[in-house]
């Protein structure tokens, strides 16, 4: 039975909601896996097994508190995961454009199950490092393909919200991981192996459910066109674009699906004329891409993800308890505050669902950077005042904690989602999976780099680490203004016209885009407008 005839013939919004849910399971795992390490790092048995430090008993109210004597080793265990995601995304992007989105996601899930099994049974540092790397390879596959699959089935007016909701499930995964591990800290005396082995093993459940549901999921209609399965693509588009109101008739449904199908066919034919760009080396250097300007898109994707990490969220997620302790709170209270912070983080992501398509990508990045920068700098300032004036700990400590909460909420409403949406939109179909993989490369570099340096930065410069992150937020504003064009409410095929300009600056790209749209309205062929001599 063809994939497009699966799932009891669901269509329209019902089918899109189901696809969003299944994609959300993979992104839920991603969030759970990230949040999990924050709790694992505070488990006494884990710290001693991996020879990262020691634990001391601080009374019934506080339990066992770990002291890390090897911060570089601790950061290495966290960051090698991102080395794995770097390799995994490159592999996933390459095979995703060849064998399809569904098969690539299944392969990624298999890597994850293997990595999680090895992690939860790790007996020493070397074992854990290898397991973390394997888990990262699987996560890289999923991060490269799941957002692409989502973007290719969604409509151009809801594409951002579609992926933004998946990142609500991402932070829900962080919430589940945090409170799950917090509760396990009360099992026995808090020193048992189950405190860290069971949470690691738990991630196998959502990823296994995801892999099973893939058996009934349809392939991306855009990949089907690329693979020459035109009838399936046309039928699937009709189902995806079916109206919510059955009384509206089939004519409008077929018209919308037909126009989208024809635009995809044109995009595939155009992309094949530039087939020499279809490898990572040529994409990075722009060889053979002509007016597609693929190298520009690669750099935009990589650096947006690197900046996303350097605005400070990775450090806040993993090291929030350390920050709250520095703000004057006890160890147990710091854990409570970190858990509450993840809850407000998740709620804030719903704001992104509502605004990412209405306000656009650029506005979200702008106001997010301003709010995050202010919050980070003030959190650092009040942390410093707390050190200088310990007698005012309730006031200064409370203010520092508030601005950490504020920062996390603003990030959840803006910078969490947009850097993940952007690379799924900005590449032509011929190389879209590889293009999104370049974005994951940037995320892996930024995240791995930051998680490796964060323990050292907090150890050496303390609260001034927050000032560094605050400065990066403000530096991102002119970068976005000048270099990142708006993609909201434009079809994936229209975005190729947006990047057809020879200028890297947004105002020139928008001017060129309007001219090309006007010429298309007068009957010019899209191939004529985007063709140029191909130099390899």
């Amino acid at each position: 039975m063809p994939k497009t005839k699966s799932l009891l013939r669901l269509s329209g919004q019902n089918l899109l909601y189901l696809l969003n849910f299944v994609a959300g399971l993979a992104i839920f795992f991603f969030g759970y896996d990230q949040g999990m390490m924050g709790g694992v790092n505070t488990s006494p048995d884990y710290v001693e097994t991996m020879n990262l430090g020691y634990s001391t008993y601080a009374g019934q109210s506080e339990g066992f508190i770990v002291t890390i004597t090897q911060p570089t080793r601790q950061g290495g265990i966290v960051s090698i995961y991102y080395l794995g995601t770097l390799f995994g995304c490159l592999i996933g992007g390459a095979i995703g454009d060849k064998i399809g989105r569904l098969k690539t996601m299944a392969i990624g899930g298999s890597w994850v199950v293997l990595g999680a099994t090895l992690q939860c049974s790790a007996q020493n540092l070397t074992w854990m490092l290898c397991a973390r790397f394997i888990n990262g390879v699987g996560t890289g596959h999923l991060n490269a393909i799941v957002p692409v699959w989502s973007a290719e089935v969604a409509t151009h007016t809801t594409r951002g919200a579609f992926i933004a909701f998946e990142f609500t499930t991402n932070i829900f995964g962080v919430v589940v991981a945090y409170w799950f591990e917090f509760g396990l800290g009360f099992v026995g005396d808090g020193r048992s192996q189950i405190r860290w082995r069971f949470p690691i093993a738990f991630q196998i459940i959502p990823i296994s459910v995801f892999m099973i549901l893939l058996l009934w999921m349809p392939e991306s209609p855009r990949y089907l066109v690329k693979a020459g399965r035109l009838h399936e693509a046309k039928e699937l588009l009709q189902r995806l674009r079916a109206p919510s109101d059955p009384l509206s008739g089939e004519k409008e449904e077929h018209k919308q699906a037909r126009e989208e199908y024809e635009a995809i066919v044109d995009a595939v034919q155009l992309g094949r004329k530039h087939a020499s760009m279809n490898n990572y080396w040529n994409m990075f250097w722009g060889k053979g891409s002509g007016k597609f300007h693929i190298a520009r898109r690669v750099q935009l994707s990589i650096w947006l993800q690197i900046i996303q990490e350097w605005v400070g969220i990775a450090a806040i997620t993993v090291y929030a308890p350390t920050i709250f302790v520095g703000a004057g709170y006890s160890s147990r209270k710091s854990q409570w505050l970190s858990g509450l912070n993840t809850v407000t983080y998740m709620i804030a992501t719903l704001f992104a669902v509502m605004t990412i398509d209405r306000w656009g990508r650029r506005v979200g990045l702008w106001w997010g950077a301003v709010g995050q920068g202010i919050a980070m700098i003030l959190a650092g300032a009040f942390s410093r005042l707390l050190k200088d004036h310990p007698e005012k700990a309730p006031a200064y400590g409370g203010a520092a904690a508030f601005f950490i909460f504020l920062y996390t909420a603003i990030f959840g409403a803006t910078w969490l989602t947009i850097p993940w949406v952007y690379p799924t939109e900005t590449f032509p179909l011929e190389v879209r999976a590889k293009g999104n993989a370049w974005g994951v490369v940037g995320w892996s570099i930024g995240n791995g780099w930051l998680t490796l340096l964060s323990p050292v930065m907090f150890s050496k410069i303390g609260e001034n680490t927050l000032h560094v992150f605050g400065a990066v937020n403000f530096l991102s504003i002119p970068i976005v203004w000048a270099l990142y064009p708006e993609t909201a409410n434009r079809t994936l095929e229209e975005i190729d016209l947006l990047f057809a300009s020879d200028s890297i600056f947004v105002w020139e790209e928008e001017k060129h885009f309007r001219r090309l749209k006007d010429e298309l309205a007068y009957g010019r062929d899209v191939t004529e407008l985007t063709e140029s001599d191909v130099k390899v």
Side-chain angles (χ1 to χ4, degrees), residues 49-50 94 103 159 191 193 252 256 274 316 326 414 437 503:
T49 300
M50 300 302 155
K103 292 179 181 177
R159 188 172 59 237
R191 291 174 55 84
Q193 294 187 29
E252 186 62 31
Q256 180 183 359
H274 297 268
I316 297 299
T414 56
S503 173

Side-chain angles (χ1 to χ4, degrees), residues 495-524:
I495 291 171
D496 284 337
L497 302 180
L498 184 62
F499 284 97
S501 170
D502 291 329
S503 173
I504 66 172
F505 296 111
V506 167
W507 50 90
E508 293 295 336
E509 290 175 324
E510 290 288 353
K511 186 189 301 182
H512 191 69
F513 175 79
R514 289 191 294 271
R515 183 178 65 78
L516 293 182
K517 287 288 287 183
D518 289 341
E519 292 189 30
L520 282 174
Y522 282 102
R524 291 282 302 280

Side-chain angles (χ1 to χ4, degrees), residues 264-512:
I264 296 170
V265 170
D266 288 342
V268 169
Q269 292 173 347
L270 180 59
R272 284 175 178 162
K273 294 181 180 181
H274 297 268
S276 61
M277 67 182 175
N278 198 356
N279 64 67
Y280 288 117
W281 178 262
N282 286 350
M283 288 177 68
F284 188 84
W285 297 107
K287 294 183 177 181
S289 66
K291 288 289 185 179
F292 277 111
H293 295 118
I294 297 299
R296 183 193 311 166
R297 308 191 206 194
V298 167
Q299 294 300 323
L300 291 176
S301 298
I302 290 174
W303 283 101
L304 187 61
Q305 288 279 24
I306 290 175
I307 294 170
Q308 183 203 40
E309 297 310 315
W310 274 91
V311 297
I313 189 59
I316 297 299
T317 301
V318 177
Y319 299 101
T322 303
I323 295 170
F324 289 132
V325 167
Y329 293 98
S330 67
S331 175
R332 188 72 77 188
K333 186 171 288 187
S334 295
Q335 292 174 354
W336 272 100
L337 286 170
S338 296
L340 291 174
N341 191 35
T342 62
V343 174
T344 59
Y345 188 12
M346 181 187 70
I347 294 171
T349 63
L350 296 174
F351 189 79
V353 176
M354 295 184 290
T355 60
I356 190 170
D357 290 314
R358 288 186 177 90
W359 295 0
R361 319 309 189 225
R362 284 161 58 84
V363 171
L365 293 173
W366 285 336
W367 81 261
V370 171
Q372 290 163 190
I374 292 172
M376 271 293 195
I377 289 172
L378 289 176
F382 280 109
S383 295
R384 183 65 200 180
L385 287 171
L386 175 63
K387 284 185 177 181
D388 294 340
H389 304 281
E391 72 279 2
K392 296 183 178 180
Y396 292 146
F402 168 78
F403 284 111
I404 291 296
F405 271 71
L406 180 63
Y407 166 87
T408 308
I410 295 173
F411 182 89
T414 56
W415 274 80
L416 168 69
T417 300
I418 296 172
W420 286 99
V421 172
Y422 206 81
T424 69
E425 303 175 309
T426 51
F427 288 92
L429 178 57
E430 183 70 18
V431 294
R432 185 165 294 135
K434 292 186 186 70
N436 192 54
W438 278 116
V440 184
V441 166
W443 173 80
S444 301
I445 292 171
N447 225 322
W449 184 14
L450 189 59
T451 53
L452 185 62
L453 288 179
S454 287
V456 179
M457 292 173 70
F458 279 112
S459 174
K460 299 295 184 182
I461 61 174
E463 71 284 344
N464 288 322
T465 303
L466 303 182
H467 295 150
V468 172
F469 296 143
V472 173
N473 277 279
F474 288 111
L475 288 173
S476 72
I477 296 172
I479 294 173
V480 171
W481 173 75
L483 302 178
Y484 286 83
E486 184 59 72
T487 57
N489 298 305
R490 285 169 168 156
T491 68
L492 294 174
E493 289 67 42
E494 282 180 330
I495 291 171
D496 284 337
L497 302 180
L498 184 62
F499 284 97
S501 170
D502 291 329
S503 173
I504 66 172
F505 296 111
V506 167
W507 50 90
E508 293 295 336
E509 290 175 324
E510 290 288 353
K511 186 189 301 182
H512 191 69

Side-chain angles (χ1 to χ4, degrees), residues 30-31 33-38 74-89 129 132-137 139-140 143 309 313-315 317-319 420 440-452:
F30 172 37
D33 194 68
Q34 281 190 299
M36 172 193 73
M37 285 309 294
Q74 180 192 46
I77 293 175
V78 177
S79 61
I80 198 171
Y81 170 80
Y82 300 106
L83 180 63
T85 63
L86 192 154
F87 281 95
C89 73
L129 288 171
R132 290 286 293 168
F133 179 82
I134 291 171
N135 209 16
V137 170
T139 305
N143 287 354
E309 297 310 315
I313 189 59
T317 301
V318 177
Y319 299 101
W420 286 99
V440 184
V441 166
W443 173 80
S444 301
I445 292 171
N447 225 322
W449 184 14
L450 189 59
T451 53
L452 185 62

Side-chain angles (χ1 to χ4, degrees), residues 130 171 482 531:
C130 291
I171 306 307
E531 281 284 280

Side-chain angles (χ1 to χ4, degrees), residues 53-130:
Y54 60 91
S55 62
T56 53
Y57 188 66
Q60 188 174 0
S61 62
E62 298 297 325
F64 281 91
I65 298 176
V66 299
T67 300
I68 302 298
T69 59
Q70 300 288 340
T72 303
R73 184 177 294 180
Q74 180 192 46
I77 293 175
V78 177
S79 61
I80 198 171
Y81 170 80
Y82 300 106
L83 180 63
T85 63
L86 192 154
F87 281 95
C89 73
L90 292 174
I91 298 169
I95 65 176
D97 279 330
K98 289 183 178 179
I99 67 175
R101 316 317 189 203
L102 294 181
K103 292 179 181 177
T104 305
M105 289 188 286
I107 292 171
S110 300
W111 276 96
V112 166
V113 171
L114 175 61
T117 302
L118 291 173
Q119 276 188 89
C120 69
S121 57
Q123 301 296 322
N124 53 56
L125 178 64
T126 303
W127 189 332
M128 176 59 79
L129 288 171
C130 291

